[in-house]
Amino acid sequence: MLWLMVLAVIVMIVGFIATMMIGESKENKKENSNYFKFTGKKWMHLSWIYVLCTVMLAIIMIVVWKK
């Protein structure tokens, strides 16, 4: 069961890194002229998604370890 939790954390970290790389890529900025509009709001939404997923994973890990 521990390996499954470690795998979930790895997938979350890789997803976060990929999101950051895509968001900051030169190609993305060139092709989409509206890229810089409302970026603070977009990054805030992404941040909340990652925070919520991290909290949910922590809760699941605590519940599983207590059993």
Side-chain angles (χ1 to χ4, degrees), residues 20-66:
M20 298 301 285
M21 289 175 65
I22 291 169
E24 294 297 324
S25 70
K26 290 180 184 179
E27 294 84 11
N28 191 21
K29 291 177 184 178
K30 276 193 243 179
E31 292 178 14
N32 188 354
S33 61
N34 292 326
Y35 179 77
F36 287 105
K37 290 185 179 178
F38 309 112
T39 55
K41 189 175 181 179
K42 292 174 188 173
W43 285 108
M44 185 58 70
H45 285 3
L46 277 174
S47 298
W48 277 114
I49 289 170
Y50 281 105
V51 167
L52 289 175
C53 288
T54 303
V55 169
M56 288 188 327
L57 180 63
I59 291 169
I60 291 169
M61 289 173 67
I62 290 169
V63 169
V64 168
W65 278 344
K66 285 192 174 191

